[in-house]
Amino acid sequence: MEVSTDIVTKKSKRLTSVVWNHFERVRKADGCYAVCVHCNKKLSGSSNSGTTHLRNHLMRCLKRSNFDVSQLVSAKRRKKDSNETLTNISYDEAPRKDEYIKPIMKYEPDQRKDEVISLANSRFDQERSQLDLARMIILHGYPLAMVEHVGFKVFVKNLQPMFEVVPNAVIEITCMEIYGKEKRRVYDLLSKLHGRINLAVEMWSSTENAEYLCLIAHYIDEDWRLQKKILNFVTLDSSHTEDMLSEVIMRCLIEWDIDCKLFALTFDDCSIDDDIVHKIKERISQNRPHSSNGQLFDVCSAAHVLKSIVQDALEALHDVTEKIRGSIRYVKSSQLTQGKFNEIAQQVDINSQKGLVLDCPTRWNSTYFMLETALEYRNAFSALQDLDSEYSSALTETEWDWASSITGYLQLFVEITNVFSGNKCPTANVYFPEICDVHIQLINWCKSPDEFLSSLALKMKSKFEKYWSKCSLALAMAAILDPRFKMKLVEYYYFQIYGSTALERIKEVSDGIKELFNAYAICSTMVDQGSALPGSSLPSASNDSRDKLKGFDKFLHETSQSQNAASDLDKYLEEPIFPRNCEFNILNWWKVHTPRYPILSMMARDVLGTPMSTVVPESPFSTGGRLLDSCQSSLNPDTRQALICARDWLRIESTDELNPSSNHYSLPLYIEAN
């Protein structure tokens, strides 16, 4: 296509292709040609030659730099046949060297491989693109095998012919490298953390009945933001019996070097053997600045106990619920029956705007909505029973009464679960009033004159009291550290719950928080003296051995520190309660008031960061447990852990890049078992 000539004339007519922004069209007696404005190379410029060869030259032109060629690329692809099929593309053939797009941009070697770049400041880099692909697979949970899919290969080849699609095994290695790099970053972050770490322990399963242990660190960082990171996703084999779970957890704590920083353990199941917690306590008790009773150390998920209580209620109402499902199916079985039912509803003065709906048995809130709607049509169903002999799912009046009462129970649990799952920053202080409300209602439900309802309430209350006995002190302390409530909220609820014995229970809470505060005061004194617990930042000590009054300075510091520590909690409790405000942010409040309450703020950071619930925002009403999908369960244990952990870490990082002001409490996407 190249020609030689020395005669140059200007183009005589308007040329519409963007290619001509980079060429001068030259006419000669025997034809015309194009001169590149960057390198002066001459190519055929006749109308019969088209512009493809000119565009290809621009892609290779070494003297052209620093301009956007996206228009050229898009124009070229728009002209490609849209009906091109996969049979026209071969992946076995190595691309010709002269078909490669030449590097046209300057590449900065010190630029991070995992940073977003633009075409304007970098050239194509195979290693970087491979890292980007691996990060994409991790971040979005795509299967590793996607790199072997024909459709993916076609997409990549057309998008960037220079990219060499790597095999499944290679991309897996790249993912493991990213996991290793991110793990070191998280390790360094946790090692520099001044506060304590709370650990949530969650049990997972798969369709193949495999069991997994997921350990998630919760903490409040130096900027008073609630953080959450998955640390381990351990595959439990047959050798991991329940009594060995403590060893598995301890190995993970030691691996991350956070055993001495542990503040609380939260289990998603209240039935976890207490021996597991006891063994972990024994292993790390020497380095813990906690009270001897250890009640803050062992917490159960509030969402789990509520779901367990709901399941008791639904199980008790099973036969009645089946009749309601049958009634709705019958009404909706034909337009004739539906029309007859609507007429009956009007006759008995039912003006509900809700339509009858069937529930999804795996979502207990949908069962609640089904019952709630059916109860509004109670009189219509009763009338239908008298007018339609084929209607066989009719309920008795007693059964309707049971459905009404239990639906009232479920309404409370739906509202509370919405509070837990809808909170973007679920600090520990939000749980106490909700859990106390459940406690009060259970006490009232047990007083029902109906034997069926009272026996159900007693069963629910028995399960709840096991949770309450273990977690009430931790819940109350978190509420006290909310400046809008302090001790007053504990007093308000405890008088309703305990009646004549309330003062004794209130004193237990008061003594507990003072005991914990004293432990933090002692720890603070040890930090100032240079003998703090592992992980604490130590002040520099003076080397002036000739100072004869160094002992006096130590004595003065100890006595002054003791007085200040004793008054820190008292000062907080004695000051007026902060006005309740719907826009109140407790972490911002403590961040501002840290200089005023230096020791108490240390304690507040750890207590408020305790995960009181492991509710799943994506599916808080699921009746099943956490289930791993078949793609992830088929991976080997190390790869599975790497992908799940790295996904959690990268999701938080990606959220920060897109929205720097977003809350850092990012939750992983769980899959719920049906």
Side-chain angles (χ1 to χ4, degrees), residues 216-503:
I216 309 174
H218 298 250
Y219 60 92
I220 295 175
D221 64 18
E222 304 307 312
D223 292 326
W224 285 90
R225 293 179 297 185
L226 188 60
Q227 302 278 12
K228 170 182 173 294
K229 296 185 184 297
I230 296 179
L231 300 184
N232 294 92
F233 196 88
V234 182
T235 303
L236 303 177
D237 54 35
S238 56
S239 65
H240 288 133
T241 57
E242 187 172 281
D243 60 346
M244 293 182 63
L245 286 179
S246 59
E247 291 299 319
V248 176
I249 295 172
M250 277 305 304
R251 283 201 298 269
C252 294
L253 293 175
I254 294 173
E255 173 190 356
W256 287 94
D257 195 22
I258 59 173
D259 52 318
C260 61
K261 287 189 171 186
L262 192 63
F263 180 81
L265 274 173
T266 301
F267 292 91
D268 62 355
D269 190 348
C270 290
S271 63
I272 293 290
D273 192 345
D274 290 338
D275 288 341
I276 295 176
V277 179
H278 180 69
K279 290 177 181 178
I280 297 175
K281 283 183 180 181
E282 286 185 339
R283 292 284 301 272
I284 62 178
S285 60
Q286 294 180 352
N287 294 329
R288 284 174 45 81
H290 284 204
S291 55
S292 59
N293 57 28
Q295 292 188 55
L296 277 179
F297 186 79
D298 184 9
V299 180
C300 291
S301 169
H304 186 279
V305 71
L306 293 184
K307 183 170 72 171
S308 180
I309 292 174
V310 166
Q311 289 174 339
D312 287 342
L314 293 177
E315 188 177 316
L317 197 66
H318 177 268
D319 294 341
V320 176
T321 304
E322 283 299 317
K323 284 188 175 183
I324 291 176
R325 290 191 184 108
S327 298
I328 295 175
R329 289 192 188 100
Y330 178 76
V331 169
K332 299 172 75 68
S333 62
S334 68
Q335 291 184 353
L336 180 63
T337 308
Q338 180 75 64
K340 183 191 299 183
F341 184 80
N342 291 340
E343 291 178 3
I344 294 173
Q346 291 180 0
Q347 293 171 6
V348 296
D349 296 326
I350 297 176
N351 299 316
S352 176
Q353 300 300 315
K354 298 178 181 178
L356 294 173
V357 291
L358 286 169
D359 66 331
C360 174
T362 60
R363 297 290 184 268
W364 64 265
N365 63 323
S366 71
T367 303
Y368 159 73
F369 292 127
M370 180 188 72
L371 295 174
E372 182 186 44
T373 304
L375 283 165
E376 295 186 17
Y377 290 91
R378 173 177 177 172
N379 292 336
F381 280 114
S382 299
L384 181 65
Q385 178 183 2
D386 299 331
L387 299 174
D388 191 339
S389 59
E390 296 183 5
Y391 174 47
S392 59
S393 300
L395 281 71
T396 66
E397 289 301 312
T398 300
E399 288 174 330
W400 279 114
D401 290 340
W402 290 346
S404 178
S405 296
I406 293 179
T407 301
Y409 300 172
L410 296 179
Q411 181 181 4
L412 173 65
F413 297 128
V414 167
E415 293 172 352
I416 293 177
T417 302
N418 282 329
V419 171
F420 292 167
S421 62
N423 197 307
K424 295 181 180 179
C425 187
T427 47
N429 59 300
V430 304
Y431 293 90
F432 181 74
E434 306 296 339
I435 295 300
C436 285
D437 197 14
V438 172
H439 199 168
I440 293 169
Q441 293 301 326
L442 285 170
I443 293 173
N444 294 332
W445 295 342
C446 289
K447 299 175 183 178
S448 172
D450 187 295
E451 184 178 352
F452 171 77
L453 295 175
S454 61
S455 61
L456 169 61
L458 285 170
K459 180 180 180 181
M460 296 162 68
K461 185 172 181 291
S462 175
K463 184 173 291 186
F464 176 84
E465 284 180 340
K466 180 180 179 182
Y467 164 81
W468 179 260
S469 64
K470 180 178 290 189
C471 304
S472 60
L473 181 59
L475 292 166
M477 287 187 178
I480 294 170
L481 292 171
D482 188 327
R484 299 169 298 171
F485 304 127
K486 301 186 180 181
M487 282 296 300
K488 290 299 182 181
L489 191 66
V490 176
E491 295 169 2
Y492 169 75
Y493 277 114
Y494 273 32
F495 278 116
Q496 297 181 65
I497 294 172
Y498 294 111
S500 60
T501 62
L503 291 176

Side-chain angles (χ1 to χ4, degrees), residues 4-133:
S4 59
T5 184
D6 297 326
I7 303 174
V8 179
T9 61
K10 292 294 182 181
K11 55 188 179 182
S12 60
K13 68 175 181 178
R14 173 181 168 83
L15 301 172
T16 57
S17 174
V18 294
V19 170
W20 291 107
N21 293 333
H22 307 278
F23 287 91
E24 290 290 341
R25 196 173 191 184
V26 179
R27 290 188 178 277
K28 194 180 178 183
D30 56 350
C32 65
Y33 54 91
V35 179
C36 177
V37 298
H38 304 289
C39 65
N40 293 324
K41 191 167 186 177
K42 302 170 185 177
L43 300 101
S44 174
S46 69
S47 58
N48 295 330
S49 301
T51 58
T52 300
H53 64 295
L54 303 180
R55 186 179 296 106
N56 290 339
H57 169 75
L58 283 178
M59 293 294 186
R60 303 186 186 99
C61 182
L62 297 178
K63 292 188 177 182
R64 177 183 52 78
S65 62
N66 295 329
F67 73 92
D68 189 357
V69 297
S70 59
Q71 287 182 302
L72 299 176
V73 177
S74 61
K76 179 179 180 181
R77 288 176 181 156
R78 282 196 300 268
K79 297 185 66 175
K80 293 179 68 70
D81 184 6
S82 59
N83 296 322
E84 183 179 14
T85 61
L86 295 181
T87 56
N88 296 328
I89 301 176
S90 172
Y91 296 101
D92 298 328
E93 223 175 288
R96 289 172 47 194
K97 295 296 183 181
D98 58 352
E99 290 179 349
Y100 280 162
I101 300 174
K102 297 292 184 180
I104 58 176
M105 304 300 176
K106 184 179 180 181
Y107 175 69
E108 299 295 339
D110 58 340
Q111 189 176 25
R112 283 181 52 194
K113 296 290 184 182
D114 55 356
E115 287 180 348
V116 178
I117 61 169
S118 65
L119 190 61
N121 60 16
S122 179
R123 66 171 69 179
F124 170 74
D125 183 273
Q126 170 71 25
E127 181 185 356
R128 181 195 190 88
S129 297
Q130 185 171 317
L131 280 170
D132 289 341
L133 173 59

